[in-house]
Amino acid sequence: MKRVVITGVGALTPLACGVEETWSRLLNGASGAAAVRYFDARHLPCKIACEIPFGPTAEGGFTPEDWMPSRERRKLDRFIVYAMVAADQAIADAGWTPTDEAAQERTGVMIGSGIGGIETIAEGAITLKERGPRRISPFFIPAALINLCSGQVSIKYGFKGPNHAVVTACSTGAHAIGDAARIIRAGEAEVMVAGGAEAPICELSIAGFSACKALSTRFNEAPDKASRPYDRDRDGFVMGEGAGVVVLEEYDHARARGAKIYAEVLGYGMSGDAYHITSPAPDGDGGYRSMRAALKSAGLDASDIDYVNAHGTSTPMGDEIELQAVARMLGNHAASVTMSSTKSSTGHLLGAAGAIEAIFCALALRDQIAPPTLNLDNPSVETPIDLAPHQPRQRRIDVALSNSFGFGGTNASLVLGRAP
Amino acid sequence: MSDIADRVKKIVVDHLGVDEEKVVEGASFIDDLGADSLDTVELVMAFEEEFGIEIPDDAAETIQTFGDAVKFISENAANA
């Protein structure tokens, strides 16, 4: 089987626009959470979110006009803009912009989203109701469709290989990277641009997730304390937004052109809970089987794992169920492993989460440091696993595992290794 | 007349991101100003909005150039 490596990374996150800026802020313990700015959220039970930091590009902020003129952005929901910003970064980082037809046909795109253009759809429904069908824009449908992230990136860069999109709620980003790696392993493409994007911070989706009792509601006055995975006072996740995109490449292809290599995608596993639409199975068996499948495809043993980037969304039930599943998998190796939830810093980017967390794993492997779990003051359960409270851990990391679990009981695990 | 032309020109420039000098009488939205078929639908919607008129689909199909738009609106807009 062919080997797959990561040769480019791009991210727009609640911490910063740009991978290195996001990474340094993550290691410094920054939080992306604040009161919702996009609309008046005072009437909602959850009034906080992790929004993209608008500001000068040179300072790690997001200046939309620097990436795309407003007349183009007008035709896209924000989640597609975010996907294109992250893809632009990743493609530039990889230095892969082929102009010959054969190379373009061997390059594909697989960027997904959990929800897609929910804000565009919500506004379209209001327009329809108040002003009638003739006021619906011809760009309404292509602005909201999830696979238009992959479509827009392929159109911009002329990537004519497999063009696909994953939609698996909060597992989307991990599934997209895993599936794209498989396409390369199977020899169907040499390069894949893969990841996830999400722009869920609007009144309709906060109302919807609130109704599911999924969001934190007790920290509206202290937003940076709200995302606190494994802590006894956690009460739900904090919604985030943004995109993460990687360039995956067949190893020999990358080596032949002298590409910089961040990490290798060693394994990928999937499973279904077959239990409940929003709650994880209490025994954690779905997550456990997903991790086991990823290890099996990597040809590794649980004792090979050094770092786990947890799904860890800061919900009362989910965190402990995942922790138990990881402990079960690690067995007596548990005390040697560091596991952190970077959602304590970024919030939960839903369909983009697995993609930015795979990037964090790649950087953890590169820099030999595990990012911290913020706000973990009083763990709700005892565990031999080091949860990296408050501070990053400088340590040996040869193999990293990233978990993503989504509504509907869909689980994905990626295993990454140091650059070969 | 010139007021209508100015208002139409501003809409075209805003929507298509073209230089004002290129928006001349015979300029075709698709062939000269870089619009695609969806852009032309949106342009017609913007004209309807700006001038408070309804442009039926069969009429919209005859509006191919900047001049066509100005002519149609001049003949049909009560408040222009």
Side-chain angles (χ1 to χ4, degrees), chain A residues 208-339:
Chain A
F209 279 101
S210 293
C212 294
K213 306 292 178 199
L215 299 177
S216 170
T217 58
R218 290 208 299 261
F219 294 87
N220 287 320
E221 307 308 316
D224 61 335
K225 303 292 180 212
S227 188
R228 42 193 318 115
Y230 317 114
D231 188 82
R232 71 179 181 203
D233 294 323
R234 70 188 183 275
D235 72 327
F237 76 78
V238 180
M239 191 183 284
E241 63 169 348
V245 171
V246 297
V247 174
L248 299 175
E249 193 164 345
E250 197 274 316
Y251 176 50
D252 290 333
H253 186 275
R255 214 172 38 171
R257 70 183 186 92
K260 163 182 62 184
I261 296 174
Y262 286 90
E264 179 171 6
V265 180
L266 297 172
Y268 170 44
M270 297 179 271
S271 73
D273 273 8
Y275 175 72
H276 187 264
I277 52 172
T278 59
S279 296
D283 61 5
D285 195 55
Y288 174 79
R289 286 183 289 107
S290 172
M291 290 185 274
R292 294 298 315 175
L295 282 174
K296 188 180 175 200
S297 89
L300 294 174
D301 188 76
S303 61
D304 293 314
I305 294 175
D306 301 303
Y307 171 64
V308 177
N309 188 295
H311 184 58
T313 60
S314 189
T315 58
M317 272 178 65
D319 289 5
E320 282 180 27
I321 291 172
E322 180 187 14
L323 188 51
Q324 284 162 14
V326 173
R328 177 183 167 200
M329 176 195 61
L330 293 174
N332 57 17
H333 178 61
S336 317
V337 171
T338 297
M339 166 162 131

Side-chain angles (χ1 to χ4, degrees), chain A residues 9-287:
Chain A
V9 291
L12 175 58
T13 75
L15 299 182
C17 181
V19 168
E20 298 299 338
E21 295 83 353
T22 294
W23 181 237
S24 69
R25 289 175 194 184
L26 182 70
L27 294 178
N28 283 328
S31 166
V36 171
R37 290 181 289 261
Y38 289 155
F39 61 94
D40 186 349
R42 279 178 296 186
H43 60 300
L44 293 169
C46 172
K47 308 174 203 316
I48 58 173
C50 293
E51 296 174 355
I52 296 296
F54 288 84
T57 302
E59 294 167 22
F62 179 47
T63 302
E65 202 62 21
D66 289 351
W67 299 90
M68 198 187 295
S70 64
R71 68 172 182 283
E72 293 300 323
R73 290 202 311 279
R74 228 168 24 84
K75 302 175 184 175
L76 307 172
D77 188 271
R78 288 185 294 135
F79 85 103
I80 300 179
V81 175
Y82 297 167
M84 294 190 75
V85 169
D88 283 351
Q89 294 173 11
I91 291 163
D93 188 35
W96 182 248
T97 51
T99 50
D100 69 288
E101 189 91 6
Q104 289 180 332
E105 288 176 6
R106 302 287 291 160
T107 303
V109 190
M110 172 110 67
I111 302 172
S113 181
I115 312 178
I118 188 167
E119 188 176 31
T120 294
I121 294 171
E123 288 172 356
I126 292 168
T127 300
L128 178 67
K129 183 92 174 163
E130 291 183 347
R131 305 182 64 202
R134 287 184 58 85
R135 305 318 304 168
I136 298 295
S137 163
F139 298 106
F140 167 65
I141 295 293
L145 289 182
I146 283 176
N147 73 297
L148 264 282
C149 294
S150 296
Q152 292 281 3
V153 169
S154 73
I155 292 163
K156 177 168 182 176
Y157 289 97
F159 295 152
K160 297 172 182 167
N163 198 268
H164 204 341
V166 172
V167 182
T168 50
C170 305
S171 298
T172 298
H175 273 136
I177 291 171
D179 288 355
R182 284 195 167 171
I183 285 174
I184 296 172
R185 280 192 180 184
E188 293 164 5
E190 275 163 337
V191 181
M192 289 293 293
V193 179
E198 203 77 67
I201 303 173
C202 68
E203 201 171 357
L204 180 61
S205 66
I206 291 193
F209 279 101
S210 293
C212 294
K213 306 292 178 199
L215 299 177
S216 170
T217 58
R218 290 208 299 261
F219 294 87
N220 287 320
E221 307 308 316
D224 61 335
K225 303 292 180 212
S227 188
R228 42 193 318 115
Y230 317 114
D231 188 82
R232 71 179 181 203
D233 294 323
R234 70 188 183 275
D235 72 327
F237 76 78
V238 180
M239 191 183 284
E241 63 169 348
V245 171
V246 297
V247 174
L248 299 175
E249 193 164 345
E250 197 274 316
Y251 176 50
D252 290 333
H253 186 275
R255 214 172 38 171
R257 70 183 186 92
K260 163 182 62 184
I261 296 174
Y262 286 90
E264 179 171 6
V265 180
L266 297 172
Y268 170 44
M270 297 179 271
S271 73
D273 273 8
Y275 175 72
H276 187 264
I277 52 172
T278 59
S279 296
D283 61 5
D285 195 55

